Structures are given as structure tokens and as C-alpha cells.
Amino acid sequence: MPSNDVRILAQAAVPTAAVGAVAAVVSGVVAGGKGAIGAGVATLIVILFMGLGLYVLQRTAKSLPHLFQAMGLMLYATQILLLFVFLAAFKDTTLFHPKAFAFTLVAGTLAWIAAQTRAHMKSKILYVEPDKSGHSS
């Protein structure tokens, strides 16, 4: 992964993990140990899904740049759909507190999107890659 991609991944994952940590503490206080576990699981799911999506999107941008915008829209729609599937699948679980899980999933997703947007806006990514051979035409 190029350094810009790693930087954007870190700039999105760290705030999301911080939101997840705060949610785990709040959920632990409000709902006990199961609330903290639910918040932790939700945070891991958000970081995994969104990180994997960013990786796929960056690979698509390099190999099929003409599909980048459509792939980005499809990817975000798929991620949101999968997060709803997780919410529906775990709504009656006894492994952890489902409301803490749901609120953390939504908060983590919003934190990731905001942080990733900020990282992209602040990064200085070249739109055209310079000629690597040094020859000019």
C-alpha cells in the first residue's frame, strides 16, 4: 500500500478507534460488561469493513481508474447494507448488549466517514502521476 493510502487509513482508523473506546466506556457504565463488549465488537466491525473498503477502492483506482467513482458509490452502499445486516443479525443476541452495539456501529461509521473525508481533503494526492522514465514527449 502506498504511503498516502496508509496515511489515510491511519487518519480514519485512529479517530474511529477513539470513538469506539469512548463508546465502550459509556456502554460499560450504562449497560455493564455486555455493553462494553458490544461497543468493542461494533468498533472492530466498523474498522474492518471500512478499512477493507478503502483498500479495495485504492486498488480499483490504480487498476481501473475509469470505474473509480462508480466503485466508490457501490462500495459505500454495500458497506452500509452490510452494517444493517449486522444490526439485524445481532438484534436479539445475548453475547453482548444489542443497543450498545447498534449505537457504536452508527457512531463508528459516522466517525470513519468524517475522518476519511477530512484525510482526503488534507492530503496532497497527484491527479496525474509524473512520467517515471524522465522522458518528455
PDB file of all heavy atoms in Angstrom, residues 67-91:
ATOM      1  N   LEU A  67     -13.430   3.387 -13.438  1.00  0.00           N
ATOM      2  CA  LEU A  67     -14.528   2.872 -12.620  1.00  0.00           C
ATOM      3  C   LEU A  67     -14.486   3.381 -11.180  1.00  0.00           C
ATOM      4  O   LEU A  67     -15.295   2.967 -10.356  1.00  0.00           O
ATOM      5  CB  LEU A  67     -14.489   1.339 -12.588  1.00  0.00           C
ATOM      6  CG  LEU A  67     -14.759   0.627 -13.899  1.00  0.00           C
ATOM      7  CD1 LEU A  67     -14.639  -0.877 -13.700  1.00  0.00           C
ATOM      8  CD2 LEU A  67     -16.135   0.984 -14.414  1.00  0.00           C
ATOM      9  N   PHE A  68     -13.560   4.275 -10.889  1.00  0.00           N
ATOM     10  CA  PHE A  68     -13.338   4.696  -9.508  1.00  0.00           C
ATOM     11  C   PHE A  68     -14.578   5.288  -8.845  1.00  0.00           C
ATOM     12  O   PHE A  68     -14.963   4.875  -7.753  1.00  0.00           O
ATOM     13  CB  PHE A  68     -12.183   5.709  -9.462  1.00  0.00           C
ATOM     14  CG  PHE A  68     -11.866   6.192  -8.087  1.00  0.00           C
ATOM     15  CD1 PHE A  68     -11.268   5.357  -7.170  1.00  0.00           C
ATOM     16  CD2 PHE A  68     -12.170   7.484  -7.706  1.00  0.00           C
ATOM     17  CE1 PHE A  68     -10.972   5.794  -5.893  1.00  0.00           C
ATOM     18  CE2 PHE A  68     -11.880   7.938  -6.440  1.00  0.00           C
ATOM     19  CZ  PHE A  68     -11.270   7.083  -5.537  1.00  0.00           C
ATOM     20  N   GLN A  69     -15.229   6.247  -9.484  1.00  0.00           N
ATOM     21  CA  GLN A  69     -16.386   6.905  -8.869  1.00  0.00           C
ATOM     22  C   GLN A  69     -17.540   5.925  -8.691  1.00  0.00           C
ATOM     23  O   GLN A  69     -18.154   5.873  -7.620  1.00  0.00           O
ATOM     24  CB  GLN A  69     -16.827   8.097  -9.700  1.00  0.00           C
ATOM     25  CG  GLN A  69     -17.911   8.903  -9.015  1.00  0.00           C
ATOM     26  CD  GLN A  69     -18.257  10.161  -9.789  1.00  0.00           C
ATOM     27  OE1 GLN A  69     -17.946  10.282 -10.967  1.00  0.00           O
ATOM     28  NE2 GLN A  69     -18.900  11.099  -9.123  1.00  0.00           N
ATOM     29  N   ALA A  70     -17.849   5.140  -9.703  1.00  0.00           N
ATOM     30  CA  ALA A  70     -18.933   4.166  -9.593  1.00  0.00           C
ATOM     31  C   ALA A  70     -18.613   3.115  -8.532  1.00  0.00           C
ATOM     32  O   ALA A  70     -19.482   2.718  -7.750  1.00  0.00           O
ATOM     33  CB  ALA A  70     -19.173   3.495 -10.941  1.00  0.00           C
ATOM     34  N   MET A  71     -17.363   2.693  -8.481  1.00  0.00           N
ATOM     35  CA  MET A  71     -16.954   1.704  -7.486  1.00  0.00           C
ATOM     36  C   MET A  71     -17.066   2.279  -6.077  1.00  0.00           C
ATOM     37  O   MET A  71     -17.478   1.592  -5.150  1.00  0.00           O
ATOM     38  CB  MET A  71     -15.516   1.257  -7.773  1.00  0.00           C
ATOM     39  CG  MET A  71     -15.023   0.192  -6.867  1.00  0.00           C
ATOM     40  SD  MET A  71     -15.891  -1.340  -7.180  1.00  0.00           S
ATOM     41  CE  MET A  71     -14.979  -2.414  -6.113  1.00  0.00           C
ATOM     42  N   GLY A  72     -16.705   3.539  -5.919  1.00  0.00           N
ATOM     43  CA  GLY A  72     -16.822   4.175  -4.605  1.00  0.00           C
ATOM     44  C   GLY A  72     -18.262   4.232  -4.130  1.00  0.00           C
ATOM     45  O   GLY A  72     -18.562   3.914  -2.975  1.00  0.00           O
ATOM     46  N   LEU A  73     -19.160   4.621  -5.008  1.00  0.00           N
ATOM     47  CA  LEU A  73     -20.583   4.677  -4.642  1.00  0.00           C
ATOM     48  C   LEU A  73     -21.126   3.286  -4.321  1.00  0.00           C
ATOM     49  O   LEU A  73     -21.852   3.103  -3.337  1.00  0.00           O
ATOM     50  CB  LEU A  73     -21.385   5.320  -5.766  1.00  0.00           C
ATOM     51  CG  LEU A  73     -21.141   6.809  -5.981  1.00  0.00           C
ATOM     52  CD1 LEU A  73     -21.831   7.283  -7.253  1.00  0.00           C
ATOM     53  CD2 LEU A  73     -21.619   7.598  -4.783  1.00  0.00           C
ATOM     54  N   MET A  74     -20.766   2.312  -5.144  1.00  0.00           N
ATOM     55  CA  MET A  74     -21.224   0.944  -4.903  1.00  0.00           C
ATOM     56  C   MET A  74     -20.649   0.394  -3.595  1.00  0.00           C
ATOM     57  O   MET A  74     -21.333  -0.274  -2.825  1.00  0.00           O
ATOM     58  CB  MET A  74     -20.827   0.037  -6.068  1.00  0.00           C
ATOM     59  CG  MET A  74     -21.375  -1.375  -5.942  1.00  0.00           C
ATOM     60  SD  MET A  74     -20.856  -2.434  -7.279  1.00  0.00           S
ATOM     61  CE  MET A  74     -19.181  -2.777  -6.793  1.00  0.00           C
ATOM     62  N   LEU A  75     -19.389   0.705  -3.347  1.00  0.00           N
ATOM     63  CA  LEU A  75     -18.731   0.225  -2.139  1.00  0.00           C
ATOM     64  C   LEU A  75     -19.395   0.786  -0.887  1.00  0.00           C
ATOM     65  O   LEU A  75     -19.687   0.034   0.052  1.00  0.00           O
ATOM     66  CB  LEU A  75     -17.257   0.609  -2.171  1.00  0.00           C
ATOM     67  CG  LEU A  75     -16.437   0.161  -0.973  1.00  0.00           C
ATOM     68  CD1 LEU A  75     -16.316  -1.352  -0.972  1.00  0.00           C
ATOM     69  CD2 LEU A  75     -15.079   0.805  -1.005  1.00  0.00           C
ATOM     70  N   TYR A  76     -19.661   2.093  -0.850  1.00  0.00           N
ATOM     71  CA  TYR A  76     -20.298   2.675   0.328  1.00  0.00           C
ATOM     72  C   TYR A  76     -21.720   2.137   0.511  1.00  0.00           C
ATOM     73  O   TYR A  76     -22.136   1.859   1.637  1.00  0.00           O
ATOM     74  CB  TYR A  76     -20.307   4.199   0.275  1.00  0.00           C
ATOM     75  CG  TYR A  76     -18.992   4.781   0.714  1.00  0.00           C
ATOM     76  CD1 TYR A  76     -18.251   5.592  -0.130  1.00  0.00           C
ATOM     77  CD2 TYR A  76     -18.472   4.511   1.969  1.00  0.00           C
ATOM     78  CE1 TYR A  76     -17.036   6.110   0.269  1.00  0.00           C
ATOM     79  CE2 TYR A  76     -17.265   5.016   2.371  1.00  0.00           C
ATOM     80  CZ  TYR A  76     -16.548   5.824   1.525  1.00  0.00           C
ATOM     81  OH  TYR A  76     -15.352   6.334   1.915  1.00  0.00           O
ATOM     82  N   ALA A  77     -22.446   1.967  -0.573  1.00  0.00           N
ATOM     83  CA  ALA A  77     -23.797   1.389  -0.462  1.00  0.00           C
ATOM     84  C   ALA A  77     -23.727  -0.032   0.083  1.00  0.00           C
ATOM     85  O   ALA A  77     -24.524  -0.420   0.951  1.00  0.00           O
ATOM     86  CB  ALA A  77     -24.486   1.405  -1.823  1.00  0.00           C
ATOM     87  N   THR A  78     -22.760  -0.808  -0.385  1.00  0.00           N
ATOM     88  CA  THR A  78     -22.593  -2.184   0.096  1.00  0.00           C
ATOM     89  C   THR A  78     -22.195  -2.202   1.567  1.00  0.00           C
ATOM     90  O   THR A  78     -22.703  -3.018   2.346  1.00  0.00           O
ATOM     91  CB  THR A  78     -21.544  -2.915  -0.755  1.00  0.00           C
ATOM     92  OG1 THR A  78     -21.952  -2.883  -2.120  1.00  0.00           O
ATOM     93  CG2 THR A  78     -21.360  -4.349  -0.305  1.00  0.00           C
ATOM     94  N   GLN A  79     -21.290  -1.314   1.956  1.00  0.00           N
ATOM     95  CA  GLN A  79     -20.875  -1.272   3.360  1.00  0.00           C
ATOM     96  C   GLN A  79     -22.041  -0.929   4.274  1.00  0.00           C
ATOM     97  O   GLN A  79     -22.221  -1.559   5.326  1.00  0.00           O
ATOM     98  CB  GLN A  79     -19.749  -0.251   3.546  1.00  0.00           C
ATOM     99  CG  GLN A  79     -18.430  -0.715   3.003  1.00  0.00           C
ATOM    100  CD  GLN A  79     -17.378   0.367   3.049  1.00  0.00           C
ATOM    101  OE1 GLN A  79     -17.674   1.557   2.934  1.00  0.00           O
ATOM    102  NE2 GLN A  79     -16.132  -0.042   3.196  1.00  0.00           N
ATOM    103  N   ILE A  80     -22.831   0.056   3.905  1.00  0.00           N
ATOM    104  CA  ILE A  80     -23.983   0.438   4.725  1.00  0.00           C
ATOM    105  C   ILE A  80     -24.981  -0.716   4.798  1.00  0.00           C
ATOM    106  O   ILE A  80     -25.514  -1.023   5.866  1.00  0.00           O
ATOM    107  CB  ILE A  80     -24.645   1.723   4.183  1.00  0.00           C
ATOM    108  CG1 ILE A  80     -23.670   2.891   4.242  1.00  0.00           C
ATOM    109  CG2 ILE A  80     -25.929   2.048   4.906  1.00  0.00           C
ATOM    110  CD1 ILE A  80     -23.170   3.236   5.630  1.00  0.00           C
ATOM    111  N   LEU A  81     -25.210  -1.380   3.673  1.00  0.00           N
ATOM    112  CA  LEU A  81     -26.106  -2.542   3.652  1.00  0.00           C
ATOM    113  C   LEU A  81     -25.587  -3.651   4.567  1.00  0.00           C
ATOM    114  O   LEU A  81     -26.353  -4.234   5.347  1.00  0.00           O
ATOM    115  CB  LEU A  81     -26.277  -3.060   2.222  1.00  0.00           C
ATOM    116  CG  LEU A  81     -27.199  -4.251   2.046  1.00  0.00           C
ATOM    117  CD1 LEU A  81     -28.633  -3.865   2.398  1.00  0.00           C
ATOM    118  CD2 LEU A  81     -27.126  -4.773   0.625  1.00  0.00           C
ATOM    119  N   LEU A  82     -24.296  -3.934   4.505  1.00  0.00           N
ATOM    120  CA  LEU A  82     -23.727  -4.976   5.374  1.00  0.00           C
ATOM    121  C   LEU A  82     -23.800  -4.589   6.850  1.00  0.00           C
ATOM    122  O   LEU A  82     -24.020  -5.450   7.707  1.00  0.00           O
ATOM    123  CB  LEU A  82     -22.283  -5.262   4.970  1.00  0.00           C
ATOM    124  CG  LEU A  82     -22.103  -6.087   3.712  1.00  0.00           C
ATOM    125  CD1 LEU A  82     -20.627  -6.150   3.318  1.00  0.00           C
ATOM    126  CD2 LEU A  82     -22.658  -7.491   3.895  1.00  0.00           C
ATOM    127  N   LEU A  83     -23.642  -3.314   7.152  1.00  0.00           N
ATOM    128  CA  LEU A  83     -23.774  -2.886   8.543  1.00  0.00           C
ATOM    129  C   LEU A  83     -25.211  -3.066   9.032  1.00  0.00           C
ATOM    130  O   LEU A  83     -25.443  -3.466  10.178  1.00  0.00           O
ATOM    131  CB  LEU A  83     -23.301  -1.448   8.706  1.00  0.00           C
ATOM    132  CG  LEU A  83     -21.793  -1.242   8.521  1.00  0.00           C
ATOM    133  CD1 LEU A  83     -21.451   0.237   8.570  1.00  0.00           C
ATOM    134  CD2 LEU A  83     -21.002  -2.014   9.550  1.00  0.00           C
ATOM    135  N   PHE A  84     -26.195  -2.794   8.159  1.00  0.00           N
ATOM    136  CA  PHE A  84     -27.591  -3.060   8.522  1.00  0.00           C
ATOM    137  C   PHE A  84     -27.832  -4.549   8.722  1.00  0.00           C
ATOM    138  O   PHE A  84     -28.596  -4.953   9.602  1.00  0.00           O
ATOM    139  CB  PHE A  84     -28.554  -2.502   7.468  1.00  0.00           C
ATOM    140  CG  PHE A  84     -28.807  -1.037   7.591  1.00  0.00           C
ATOM    141  CD1 PHE A  84     -28.647  -0.206   6.488  1.00  0.00           C
ATOM    142  CD2 PHE A  84     -29.189  -0.463   8.795  1.00  0.00           C
ATOM    143  CE1 PHE A  84     -28.876   1.157   6.589  1.00  0.00           C
ATOM    144  CE2 PHE A  84     -29.418   0.899   8.908  1.00  0.00           C
ATOM    145  CZ  PHE A  84     -29.260   1.708   7.802  1.00  0.00           C
ATOM    146  N   VAL A  85     -27.188  -5.378   7.912  1.00  0.00           N
ATOM    147  CA  VAL A  85     -27.302  -6.834   8.069  1.00  0.00           C
ATOM    148  C   VAL A  85     -26.755  -7.242   9.437  1.00  0.00           C
ATOM    149  O   VAL A  85     -27.371  -8.056  10.143  1.00  0.00           O
ATOM    150  CB  VAL A  85     -26.579  -7.578   6.925  1.00  0.00           C
ATOM    151  CG1 VAL A  85     -26.418  -9.056   7.242  1.00  0.00           C
ATOM    152  CG2 VAL A  85     -27.330  -7.392   5.613  1.00  0.00           C
ATOM    153  N   PHE A  86     -25.619  -6.678   9.840  1.00  0.00           N
ATOM    154  CA  PHE A  86     -25.075  -6.972  11.157  1.00  0.00           C
ATOM    155  C   PHE A  86     -26.024  -6.523  12.265  1.00  0.00           C
ATOM    156  O   PHE A  86     -26.206  -7.233  13.253  1.00  0.00           O
ATOM    157  CB  PHE A  86     -23.701  -6.322  11.342  1.00  0.00           C
ATOM    158  CG  PHE A  86     -22.565  -7.220  10.992  1.00  0.00           C
ATOM    159  CD1 PHE A  86     -22.080  -7.249   9.702  1.00  0.00           C
ATOM    160  CD2 PHE A  86     -21.995  -8.054  11.941  1.00  0.00           C
ATOM    161  CE1 PHE A  86     -21.037  -8.079   9.356  1.00  0.00           C
ATOM    162  CE2 PHE A  86     -20.955  -8.888  11.608  1.00  0.00           C
ATOM    163  CZ  PHE A  86     -20.476  -8.901  10.312  1.00  0.00           C
ATOM    164  N   LEU A  87     -26.619  -5.348  12.101  1.00  0.00           N
ATOM    165  CA  LEU A  87     -27.577  -4.876  13.096  1.00  0.00           C
ATOM    166  C   LEU A  87     -28.764  -5.833  13.214  1.00  0.00           C
ATOM    167  O   LEU A  87     -29.202  -6.166  14.323  1.00  0.00           O
ATOM    168  CB  LEU A  87     -28.081  -3.470  12.737  1.00  0.00           C
ATOM    169  CG  LEU A  87     -27.139  -2.324  13.011  1.00  0.00           C
ATOM    170  CD1 LEU A  87     -27.712  -1.021  12.450  1.00  0.00           C
ATOM    171  CD2 LEU A  87     -26.879  -2.186  14.486  1.00  0.00           C
ATOM    172  N   ALA A  88     -29.281  -6.274  12.081  1.00  0.00           N
ATOM    173  CA  ALA A  88     -30.419  -7.191  12.096  1.00  0.00           C
ATOM    174  C   ALA A  88     -30.031  -8.557  12.655  1.00  0.00           C
ATOM    175  O   ALA A  88     -30.792  -9.169  13.403  1.00  0.00           O
ATOM    176  CB  ALA A  88     -30.983  -7.340  10.684  1.00  0.00           C
ATOM    177  N   ALA A  89     -28.846  -9.033  12.314  1.00  0.00           N
ATOM    178  CA  ALA A  89     -28.413 -10.359  12.758  1.00  0.00           C
ATOM    179  C   ALA A  89     -28.185 -10.414  14.266  1.00  0.00           C
ATOM    180  O   ALA A  89     -28.427 -11.451  14.901  1.00  0.00           O
ATOM    181  CB  ALA A  89     -27.146 -10.769  12.019  1.00  0.00           C
ATOM    182  N   PHE A  90     -27.721  -9.328  14.846  1.00  0.00           N
ATOM    183  CA  PHE A  90     -27.384  -9.338  16.269  1.00  0.00           C
ATOM    184  C   PHE A  90     -28.383  -8.586  17.146  1.00  0.00           C
ATOM    185  O   PHE A  90     -28.088  -8.287  18.291  1.00  0.00           O
ATOM    186  CB  PHE A  90     -25.981  -8.761  16.473  1.00  0.00           C
ATOM    187  CG  PHE A  90     -24.891  -9.648  15.954  1.00  0.00           C
ATOM    188  CD1 PHE A  90     -24.137  -9.270  14.852  1.00  0.00           C
ATOM    189  CD2 PHE A  90     -24.627 -10.855  16.560  1.00  0.00           C
ATOM    190  CE1 PHE A  90     -23.140 -10.078  14.363  1.00  0.00           C
ATOM    191  CE2 PHE A  90     -23.627 -11.680  16.084  1.00  0.00           C
ATOM    192  CZ  PHE A  90     -22.881 -11.290  14.974  1.00  0.00           C
ATOM    193  N   LYS A  91     -29.586  -8.296  16.630  1.00  0.00           N
ATOM    194  CA  LYS A  91     -30.527  -7.501  17.420  1.00  0.00           C
ATOM    195  C   LYS A  91     -31.057  -8.251  18.643  1.00  0.00           C
ATOM    196  O   LYS A  91     -31.428  -7.627  19.625  1.00  0.00           O
ATOM    197  CB  LYS A  91     -31.678  -6.999  16.553  1.00  0.00           C
ATOM    198  CG  LYS A  91     -32.659  -8.053  16.124  1.00  0.00           C
ATOM    199  CD  LYS A  91     -33.777  -7.453  15.314  1.00  0.00           C
ATOM    200  CE  LYS A  91     -34.734  -8.545  14.905  1.00  0.00           C
ATOM    201  NZ  LYS A  91     -35.847  -8.056  14.156  1.00  0.00           N
TER     202      LYS A  91
END
